[in-house]
Amino acid sequence: MEDQKHRILMVSDFFYPNFGGVENHIYLLSQCLLKLGHKVVVATHAYGNRSGVRYMTGGLKVYYIPWRPFLMQNTLPTFYGTLSIIRTILVREKISLVHGHQAFSTLCHEALMHARTMGYRAVFTDHSLYGFADVGSIHMNKVLQFTLADVSQAICVSHTSKENTVLRSGLPPERVFVIPNAVDTAMFKPAPKPLDRNEIIIVVISRLVYRKGADLLVEVIPEVCRIYPNVRFIIGGDGPKRVRLEEMREKHSLQDRVEMLGAVPHAQVQSVLISGHIFLNSSLTEAFCIAILEAASCGLLTVSTRVGGVPEVLPDDMIVLAEPDPVDMVLAIRKAISILPKIDPQVMHERMKKLYNWHDVAKRTEIVYDRALKCSNQNLIERLSRYLSCGAWAGKLFALVMIIDYLLWHLLRLWKPTEDIDEVPDFILPKNHDGKVLQDFNAEQ
């Protein structure tokens, strides 16, 4: 009996041409699911002039919904503004399951809400960690509780992320799966020749924002340069904290030892990584951190803060962990420099090939989809009881939102019957398990 093939709609505000961990995750997971014979369609908001329907490598179809970003690449929350277009995509593409990504994404939350109203199974992947005390986190956690109250299954990228999501959303732990990110080792390869170790180069590639620990770098870099005259830093990335780093460079006269590259396109990240010996990650919070995988795949020894899911990412002999404190980070860098002669980039790259693979991630995600489709499809009254349990006042508000969504959906069906929406023909490439799709994408980049 042939395995059941799914028809999946991936939804998030974060997708190409924007670059980041979530964007890479959605793209590479979609490519591998396509190669396993599933149908995958992506829905995101318009980016500049990129609006409408586009096709990417491997026949991946992307709907760039003509909805402009409002703040930090997120669309303006409207609750019901996207109902009509999400319904049209679901019917046109004969979707069986909706997979939303990232708790930051407004489009993701709205699409999952509409999908459950229309009786579709929903899966959510959380890529980030949140706190519990500040106003922003409290608000975000309540929104997440609303969305996850009725999803079929949830996925987290690390065990730490799972604990965080379960605590924030109240979701039963047995409905949350841990599937880590992966790295495209065909793209991130070590330098052909070993680098000269007379000069040690430490690479930092990150958004220069508070959450990524840019303030820590301001204190760590001058101290490391004072202790080791042969150490040089290469910093790739942009953000509001770039000014502080440039001021530090001027203050300590480190212009010849600290190179600021600015924003680095993803296609050029590998060429920057292979110019260094050590990769430095100073994040203050991190659910997983794909950047560490990319650096390890290129043969770099990693020094990182011990936060979130980072300790789960690499074996102990491939990473040196430190508390998010300047003194401890300097000690970790000193330890990394001392063990650098024992590191063989090619051996590290081969180990990464075995540890992390996007095809393995896709097969594990398939299992979650299978379980989601086996979940019973409850009626509105049964679903409302879940929302009412979200809080004395919030529960009633969530239930009201869903009732209105349900009524609008029925009005939409009267105004534009389902049979009047044209279904599009399927476009699925033949199965191919040799990694060619990923290689083609890398060649294009």
Side-chain angles (χ1 to χ4, degrees), residues 190-425:
K193 297 179 181 179
L195 298 176
D196 183 13
R197 289 193 177 129
N198 291 328
E199 181 183 53
I200 297 170
I201 298 172
I202 300 175
V203 177
V204 178
I205 298 181
S206 167
R207 293 194 304 277
L208 303 181
V209 295
Y210 171 78
R211 193 173 70 87
K212 292 294 184 179
D215 295 304
L216 277 175
L217 294 176
V218 171
E219 299 185 53
V220 169
I221 291 173
E223 182 63 15
V224 173
C225 289
R226 184 187 67 80
I227 298 170
Y228 295 98
N230 64 328
V231 167
R232 190 162 64 86
F233 284 84
I234 297 176
I235 302 175
D238 208 348
K241 294 291 184 180
R242 179 174 178 173
V243 175
R244 284 210 65 197
L245 286 163
E246 290 177 342
E247 287 174 350
M248 173 273 296
R249 188 171 64 164
E250 294 288 333
K251 179 181 177 181
H252 296 277
S253 302
L254 296 173
Q255 291 89 341
D256 59 333
R257 298 181 63 188
V258 179
E259 184 180 355
M260 304 284 292
L261 300 179
V264 180
H266 192 256
Q268 297 175 21
V269 168
Q270 187 261 354
S271 61
V272 176
L273 287 172
I274 62 173
S275 64
H277 304 86
I278 296 171
F279 179 77
L280 178 60
N281 172 55
S282 58
S283 293
L284 301 180
T285 175
E286 202 75 69
F288 187 84
C289 194
I290 293 181
I292 290 176
L293 294 188
E294 294 172 347
S297 183
C298 290
L300 277 71
L301 178 62
T302 298
V303 174
S304 176
T305 44
R306 188 185 284 106
V307 295
V310 169
E312 302 175 31
V313 176
L314 292 175
D316 292 342
D317 60 333
M318 295 171 72
I319 186 169
V320 180
L321 295 170
E323 296 303 319
D325 172 76
V327 175
D328 205 34
M329 288 194 69
V330 170
L331 290 174
I333 292 171
R334 295 181 71 168
K335 181 180 177 182
I337 291 172
S338 68
I339 64 176
L340 202 55
K342 302 175 185 176
I343 301 299
D344 186 328
Q346 294 296 338
V347 171
M348 190 178 287
H349 177 73
E350 292 302 319
R351 288 178 68 188
M352 290 301 296
K353 275 186 179 180
K354 297 174 183 176
L355 286 171
Y356 291 102
N357 184 290
W358 277 111
H359 297 289
D360 178 56
V361 172
K363 288 174 183 175
R364 292 167 71 175
T365 306
E366 255 187 327
I367 297 170
V368 179
Y369 292 161
D370 292 338
R371 287 181 62 119
L373 289 175
K374 290 175 183 175
C375 293
S376 60
N377 204 5
Q378 297 175 319
N379 60 36
L380 178 64
I381 302 301
E382 292 172 321
R383 290 173 51 231
L384 288 179
S385 64
R386 294 187 185 181
Y387 292 106
L388 289 170
S389 66
C390 291
W393 291 101
K396 294 179 178 67
L397 179 62
F398 294 163
L400 179 62
V401 168
M402 294 307 298
I403 290 169
I404 294 172
D405 198 48
Y406 187 80
L407 293 173
L408 288 174
W409 172 51
H410 278 281
L411 288 173
L412 201 57
R413 290 172 70 187
L414 291 173
W415 177 61
K416 191 173 184 180
T418 302
E419 53 269 20
D420 289 351
I421 300 174
D422 293 333
E423 294 182 350
V424 297

Side-chain angles (χ1 to χ4, degrees), residues 10 12 14-16 18-33 40 42 60 99-102 123-127 155-158 178-183 266 288 290 293-294 358 361-362 365 369 438 441:
M10 300 277 187
S12 181
F14 308 102
F15 195 64
Y16 293 125
N18 197 44
F19 281 103
V22 178
E23 292 85 346
N24 279 338
H25 180 103
I26 296 171
Y27 176 84
L28 293 170
L29 174 60
S30 298
Q31 292 290 357
C32 292
L33 288 170
V40 185
V42 177
L60 177 62
H99 189 171
H101 291 263
Q102 186 61 308
V123 174
F124 173 77
T125 296
D126 200 354
H127 295 265
I155 298 172
C156 292
V157 293
S158 66
V178 177
I179 303 177
N181 286 307
V183 61
H266 192 256
F288 187 84
I290 293 181
L293 294 188
E294 294 172 347
W358 277 111
V361 172
T365 306
Y369 292 161
L438 299 186
F441 169 69

